[in-house]
Amino acid sequence: MARLVVIYKTPKDPKAFDDYYFASHVPLAKKIPGLRRYEVSEGAVGSPVGASGVHLVATLHFDSVQAIQDSFRSPVGLAAAGDLVNFADGGADLYFFETRAV
């Protein structure tokens, strides 16, 4: 399995971010080919030293890193990636990696 983790930093207007993210971005992203599961953080995203500056963390599950890369070359994947400018004005970091149980 593989994961794509998107860390959204605190936006200028958190309510506007949430409204757009859940009404528009999530339905689009859920159509990405190869997506197996989509999870988001709920509530505050903290750190061991206090406030994190992170508003939301999304974790998308795929079969492999190659599947992630292929999915974001698709029309829907390109549209989902391009949609970030519509709501993620605080910035977003994306990371993808293979996983294994330990």
Side-chain angles (χ1 to χ4, degrees):
M1 295 294 293
R3 304 290 184 268
L4 168 65
V5 175
V6 184
I7 300 172
Y8 294 99
K9 303 208 172 101
T10 303
K12 293 175 188 170
D13 183 342
K15 182 178 181 336
F17 174 102
D18 290 346
D19 290 347
Y20 186 93
Y21 184 80
F22 290 105
S24 298
H25 188 72
V26 168
L28 173 62
K30 285 182 133 186
K31 295 177 185 174
I32 294 172
L35 179 65
R36 300 289 180 219
R37 185 173 178 174
Y38 192 142
E39 300 171 326
V40 296
S41 57
E42 187 169 9
V45 178
S47 78
V49 295
S52 68
V54 173
H55 179 68
L56 185 130
V57 178
T59 306
L60 287 72
H61 300 237
F62 292 85
D63 290 336
S64 66
V65 165
Q66 186 64 54
I68 294 170
Q69 293 169 329
D70 292 345
S71 73
F72 280 92
R73 289 185 193 103
S74 74
V76 175
L78 290 169
D83 192 41
L84 294 178
V85 300
N86 294 320
F87 67 95
D89 59 15
D93 295 324
L94 288 79
Y95 304 95
F96 55 86
F97 47 88
E98 298 285 347
T99 61
R100 65 182 171 99
V102 294

